[in-house]
Amino acid sequence: MKTLEQLQFLNAYSQLPEGFYSRLNTTPLSNQYLISFNQQAAELIELHPDEVMRDDFIDIISGKKQLPGYEPLAMCYSGHQFGHYVPRLGDGRAILLGQVKTDSGERWDLQLKGAGPTEYSRGSDGRAVLRSTIREYLCSEAMHGLGIPTTRALCMIGSDTEVYREQIEPGAMLLRMAPSHIRFGSFEYFYYTQQYDKLKQLADHVIELHYPECKDGSNSYLALLKQAIKSTAELIAKWQAVGFSHGVMNTDNMSIHGLTLDYGPYGFLDTYQPDFICNHSDHQGRYAFNRQPDIGAFNLSCLAQALLPLLHEVPETAAELAMAELKEYRYLYVNHYAELMRNKLGLFEQKKEDQGLSDHLLRVMQKNNVDYTILFRALSQKSSSIARDLFIDREAFDKWYDDYQLRLVSENSNDNERSERMKHTNPKYILRNYMAEIAIEKATKNQDYSEIDRLLSLLQKPFDEHPDYEVYAEHPPEWAQQISVSCSS
Ligand code: AMP
Ligand code: MG
């Protein structure tokens, strides 16, 4: 375990030429203090947990006091926002401090969100409010706990700085970590500005650092596209299986690594409503829960288009190659989702009727307004009685359950084993909006940050029993329906 000074910074991204980023310093908040520190994330970069006790920890983490390895910069990108191409976005409120290489060879970008304006802020303040910072901090760790690829969160910093949104809110910062923060939109920027040499440099950078195996075949750029298609298909299948809605699946929020990136107005399903829209500004429902798999396909086609100049010198051939890869997406998605649903139902073997079985259950759940997480956890019990009681139309449930029983018998399923396995697949705890809201309310009204740490440790182990937190495994309270989340954070 290392001190902050012992971290080894190998800032490969900042060695790329001008045009990929703009260098700048962070603008500290006033009277910064630590709100929460995530030991799990610290371990990833081999940072000694006692470092958080240093007097200068906050100054260093906020970039106020620079480590010799820091080379702060804001990354340049563009992207498709709600289907429309926006030629220039970039990190408007995020600053990459540097990239750490661990002794085990992992690379972690340390990026500060809310660290002040950058060249890409376009008149906005470059700040993040405490409310949205808490939501991202908790959700990224909750997703990791659920086994879903995501950016991570090392710590959260509070302050006296006032930030203006619809009202005055306290400003905060989040230090987040990822192998890189390169997005689909990073490639689109160089494609649409016809800087194909830089497009190639970016692709080479990603391949060299993160996917060296792409160099094994004859077309490393096609291999990179293939890799992105696979990781995105698997990511979205995992979102669908756990009931997670991202809310703003613009291509500038799509990680080239297939990570959940940029938590804004996200939401987990309460009752199973497939057309659930978590973002109250998304009036058309473009990013509704059940549209996420298709939006994944759209976003990947944007990435594929941006990579065209690299795929083949003959444009028609490049397009054919890209189209053939994109066709794989649906297959990869459907297969992974089917596997996850089989796991959720505790089925070992793969059978033709399985999709019908899970679709049938989802239909009955939708009709009966059954809570998605609570139902699958209830099905993980040996007895079906708790699950059955969740349905108003018990007969409809019984009909499904008879088929399920036959299916279990057909693979000689053992109830004890099945139940144990399902409890490791179907979480007892997810981050419902109202839980985050309780933590936000305590933090903003009373400067009481204890709920954040409590939720963090709960959500990092969402499959375990936590007797002190039974209430969080129950149906959300009625006031939860009044919570509204939008992009303005
Ligand atoms: P997001 O909706 O958070 O993915 O942001 C979309 C774009 O707007 C990105 O380029 C952000 O960096 C930028 N942005 C969002 N909020 C702010 C802010 N408060 N100040 C400056 N830029 C911002
Ligand atoms: Mg974003």
Side-chain angles (χ1 to χ4, degrees):
M1 289 294 167
K2 298 170 181 170
T3 62
L4 284 161
E5 285 78 7
Q6 286 167 339
L7 296 176
Q8 196 193 358
F9 283 89
L10 288 180
N11 300 325
Y13 194 84
S14 77
Q15 282 149 33
L16 290 167
E18 266 180 46
F20 285 84
Y21 50 79
S22 70
R23 294 189 194 277
L24 78 169
N25 281 321
T26 59
T27 315
L29 296 161
S30 76
N31 291 326
Q32 304 182 131
Y33 53 90
L34 185 74
I35 291 183
S36 182
F37 177 74
N38 176 16
Q39 214 152 313
Q40 268 196 15
E43 277 168 29
L44 293 174
I45 53 169
E46 298 163 348
L47 180 67
H48 197 287
D50 290 351
E51 285 292 280
V52 70
M53 262 110 75
R54 283 169 58 153
D55 290 341
D56 56 358
F57 179 78
I58 288 295
D59 283 351
I60 292 175
I61 281 301
S62 66
K64 190 173 174 183
K65 178 174 170 188
Q66 295 229 354
L67 285 178
Y70 283 178
E71 291 182 273
L73 58 84
M75 296 165 79
C76 182
Y77 53 83
S78 61
H80 279 81
Q81 297 196 317
F82 289 86
H84 303 285
Y85 185 65
V86 182
R88 198 167 149 95
L89 292 164
D91 290 332
R93 56 161 167 181
I95 295 177
L96 179 67
L97 294 173
Q99 188 178 54
V100 167
K101 188 167 182 194
T102 66
D103 292 345
S104 61
E106 288 183 4
R107 287 173 185 272
W108 288 101
D109 266 14
L110 304 189
Q111 194 194 57
L112 259 184
K113 206 167 167 182
T118 76
E119 194 182 312
Y120 312 107
S121 301
R122 290 161 292 148
S124 296
D125 57 9
R127 291 301 185 197
V129 296
L130 179 58
R131 167 175 55 90
S132 68
T133 306
I134 292 173
R135 283 175 53 83
E136 174 152 357
Y137 184 76
L138 289 178
C139 198
S140 45
E141 292 311 295
M143 293 294 265
H144 177 72
L146 292 163
I148 300 174
T150 176
T151 57
R152 303 295 303 274
L154 179 73
C155 65
M156 217 187 331
I157 298 168
S159 77
D160 293 345
T161 301
E162 291 182 337
V163 174
Y164 295 85
R165 294 292 180 261
E166 278 115 45
Q167 57 197 27
I168 295 177
E169 296 190 47
M173 286 193 211
L174 173 81
L175 192 109
R176 69 178 177 186
M177 307 184 353
S180 92
H181 289 81
I182 295 171
R183 302 139 194 273
F184 290 7
S186 313
F187 294 89
E188 290 181 279
Y189 175 72
F190 294 117
Y191 171 74
Y192 284 100
T193 51
Q194 295 177 11
Q195 301 182 71
Y196 299 151
D197 53 335
K198 289 206 167 73
L199 178 68
K200 183 173 178 304
Q201 272 178 303
L202 181 63
D204 287 339
H205 168 89
V206 172
I207 291 170
E208 193 62 45
L209 256 69
H210 305 286
Y211 303 107
E213 63 281 7
C214 286
K215 289 188 288 189
D216 293 347
S218 58
N219 189 337
S220 54
Y221 305 113
L222 192 64
L224 178 63
L225 176 62
K226 205 184 181 82
Q227 161 67 38
I229 290 171
K230 182 169 187 287
S231 59
T232 304
E234 291 182 358
L235 175 71
I236 296 176
K238 289 187 172 81
W239 288 356
Q240 300 309 113
V242 82
F244 175 80
S245 205
H246 180 284
V248 198
M249 285 177 71
N250 293 333
T251 57
D252 52 299
N253 291 339
M254 297 294 289
S255 153
I256 192 66
H257 305 286
L259 306 172
T260 314
L261 170 69
D262 278 7
Y263 292 87
Y266 66 81
F268 285 86
L269 295 182
D270 291 320
T271 57
Y272 180 70
Q273 295 306 333
D275 54 359
F276 169 63
I277 303 164
C278 61
N279 176 0
H280 286 238
S281 326
D282 182 7
H283 304 294
Q284 311 287 322
R286 179 180 170 86
Y287 297 135
F289 174 72
N290 57 0
R291 296 197 66 189
Q292 296 189 126
D294 286 342
I295 293 292
F298 173 86
N299 290 344
L300 284 163
S301 73
C302 293
L303 175 68
Q305 177 160 5
L307 291 175
L308 284 178
L310 308 181
L311 297 182
H312 201 277
E313 66 231 15
V314 180
E316 290 76 16
T317 313
E320 272 168 32
L321 290 169
M323 293 294 277
E325 285 308 329
L326 288 169
K327 270 200 192 130
E328 290 294 302
Y329 168 76
R330 178 72 24 206
Y331 170 83
L332 290 166
Y333 167 76
V334 167
N335 273 346
H336 196 57
Y337 179 71
E339 182 188 337
L340 295 170
M341 292 312 281
R342 266 199 311 278
N343 292 344
K344 285 181 83 67
L345 290 172
L347 302 171
F348 253 131
E349 294 170 8
Q350 185 176 344
K351 300 205 176 184
K352 252 203 339 278
E353 67 264 32
D354 293 346
Q355 187 175 349
L357 190 70
S358 64
D359 286 353
H360 181 184
L361 175 62
L362 293 177
R363 270 196 313 277
V364 186
M365 283 168 72
Q366 184 183 356
K367 269 200 188 143
N368 284 261
N369 280 319
V370 172
D371 187 278
Y372 189 76
T373 305
I374 294 178
L375 185 270
F376 278 100
R377 188 72 181 187
L379 279 180
S380 312
Q381 307 297 329
K382 278 184 276 179
S383 147
S384 68
S385 62
I386 303 173
R388 185 174 190 268
D389 285 348
L390 295 168
F391 292 78
I392 301 164
D393 182 353
R394 307 265 154 89
E395 257 177 51
F397 173 78
D398 291 343
K399 225 164 149 196
W400 174 80
Y401 196 75
D402 288 346
D403 291 347
Y404 179 46
Q405 282 304 298
L406 286 175
R407 176 63 185 79
L408 288 173
V409 170
S410 78
E411 63 173 48
N412 298 320
S413 185
N414 170 307
D415 258 359
N416 288 328
E417 261 178 48
R418 175 186 63 81
S419 166
E420 266 322 295
R421 226 177 32 245
M422 285 172 76
K423 284 180 190 163
H424 288 96
T425 305
N426 296 313
K428 179 155 178 171
Y429 299 96
I430 50 162
L431 179 61
R432 297 184 196 262
N433 271 342
Y434 89 92
M435 292 158 64
E437 208 58 30
I438 291 173
I440 291 166
E441 180 106 352
K442 285 189 179 173
T444 43
K445 291 221 171 111
N446 310 326
Q447 284 78 50
D448 171 2
Y449 306 114
S450 55
E451 193 64 16
I452 298 170
D453 286 333
R454 275 202 294 273
L455 285 177
L456 181 69
S457 54
L458 173 75
L459 295 166
Q460 284 179 333
K461 292 190 162 71
F463 301 103
D464 292 2
E465 298 290 331
H466 299 267
D468 293 345
Y469 295 100
E470 277 301 314
V471 66
Y472 284 149
E474 291 167 9
H475 288 96
E478 218 151 89
W479 63 264
Q481 285 171 17
Q482 260 76 77
I483 301 169
S484 158
V485 280
S486 69
C487 285
S488 90
S489 49

